[in-house]
């Protein structure tokens, strides 16, 4: 294998490694640079920001990254529905879908942030195109890459970075993660209100049968961690059109996440959720996450249905916690005065109340290092400023000595 220092560029993430006649999307190799073409247009013609893709990793927020992957209005009006769909699936931000609580929420938010997403939903044939694409899916059992060196959390970051320095590994990672992103995105988008409400009874039956087939394939797939996320199946099983047509449910059952009550240190109850499909993130997904967020240091695979609040305040990978609630209001923890340097094991929550983390120590610059997750992402460490912004944007809490 050829070796090189890995730099994640925008064009590298957008690279498609084969000709796709149905969508008129291909990759041309020119002077060592992979260049995506969509509907006959080059990368520089398509995107609003065609600056050096090497600057991708210098961007500090997802918002800045989304700005770089918007398609020029003059081009977007000329792209057909299938080309729009493929361009969206190949968007480097698509993996963010998996970091939401559910696929429907993730796909909906992802589409809202893309001008291509908004345009796609306006197409009269979008439902048929999505269904055709979903029915064509097949999930391989094996990955192309060998991820055995990162199967354990021991020295995870160092082992991932070693793999990402290999050019062939990175190219194959694109291929391995494509089916993962494609399935998750299509299932989430099909569940979105704007699409699902347009589906006919026959559409739902076809999707149900295909989702059962893909469920079996996911459970044998390395890239899906041998686990099936059944959101589409569960929704269809509750649908009157499917019930009326007496579809056999086989082994699938409509199961909502169970509600559990967890206790604060003072013994007050807080509502959390427990998902039956909660599982360890796949090695390929963990490698892809590190590639997308090179400023973050991945230290654990993490669980798919365990978010930052549950990781920080409950300390248990089995749960998903939407609202911190009594953890910070019943006296179990007290706010640390602004201006004091965060100390090890103190906990942080941003002003919006949608992100938490644990202080684990200090970096070389003296700034606090935070350990956290983003939704169901891997566990990672990051500089407090990069993760939470300025001191006015978050509050630090410490355990009360008397609870």
């Amino acid at each position: 294998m050829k070796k090189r220092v890995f730099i994640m560029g925008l064009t590298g993430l957008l690279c498609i490694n084969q000709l796709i006649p149905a969508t008129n999307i291909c990759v041309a190799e020119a002077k060592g640079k992979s260049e995506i073409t969509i509907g006959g247009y080059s990368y520089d013609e398509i995107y609003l920001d065609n600056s050096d893709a090497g600057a991708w990793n210098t961007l500090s927020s997802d918002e800045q990254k989304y700005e770089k992957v918007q398609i020029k209005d003059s081009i977007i009006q000329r792209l057909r529905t299938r080309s729009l769909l493929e361009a969206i699936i190949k968007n480097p931000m698509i993996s963010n879908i998996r970091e939401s609580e559910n696929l429907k929420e993730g796909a909906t938010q992802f589409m809202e942030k893309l001008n291509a997403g908004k345009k796609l939903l306006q197409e009269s044939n979008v439902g048929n195109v999505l269904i055709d694409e979903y029915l064509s899916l097949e999930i391989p059992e094996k990955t192309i890459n060998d991820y055995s060196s990162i199967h354990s959390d021991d020295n995870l970051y160092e082992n991932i970075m070693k793999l990402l320095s290999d050019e062939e590994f990175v190219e194959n990672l694109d291929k391995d993660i494509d089916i993962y992103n494609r399935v998750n995105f299509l299932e989430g988008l099909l569940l979105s209100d704007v699409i699902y409400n347009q589906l006919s009874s026959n559409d739902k039956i076809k999707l149900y049968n295909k989702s059962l087939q893909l469920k079996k394939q996911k459970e044998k797939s390395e890239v899906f961690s041998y686990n099936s996320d059944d959101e589409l199946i569960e929704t269809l099983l509750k649908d009157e059109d499917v019930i009326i047509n007496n579809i056999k449910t086989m082994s699938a059952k409509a199961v909502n996440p169970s509600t559990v009550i967890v206790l604060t240190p003072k013994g007050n109850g807080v509502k959390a959720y427990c998902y039956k499909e909660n599982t360890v993130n796949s090695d390929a997904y963990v490698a892809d996450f590190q590639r997308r967020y090179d400023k973050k240091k991945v230290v654990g695979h993490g669980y798919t249905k365990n978010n930052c609040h549950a990781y920080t305040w409950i300390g248990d990978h089995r749960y998903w916690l939407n609202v911190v609630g009594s953890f910070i209001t019943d006296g179990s923890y007290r706010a640390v005065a602004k201006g004091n340097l965060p100390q090890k094991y103190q906990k942080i929550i941003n002003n919006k109340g949608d992100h938490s983390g644990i202080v684990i120590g200090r970096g070389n610059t003296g700034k606090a290092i935070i350990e956290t997750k983003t939704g169901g992402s891997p566990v990672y460490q990051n500089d407090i400023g990069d993760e939470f912004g300025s001191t006015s944007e978050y509050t630090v809490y410490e355990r009360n000595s008397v609870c």
Side-chain angles (χ1 to χ4, degrees), residues 62 65 72 119 225 272 274 307 326 347 376 387 390 402:
D62 282 351
K65 292 181 178 180
K72 293 177 181 177
K119 178 65 167 58
S225 293
C274 185
N307 66 343
S326 294
K347 302 182 179 184
E387 192 68 23
S390 67
V402 179

Side-chain angles (χ1 to χ4, degrees), residues 72-90:
K72 293 177 181 177
D73 289 338
S74 60
I75 300 296
I76 205 172
Q77 300 302 325
R78 304 175 194 175
L79 296 179
R80 296 183 178 181
T81 308
R82 292 185 185 276
S83 292
L84 278 170
L85 175 60
E86 192 65 23
I88 291 168
I89 290 174
K90 291 297 181 179

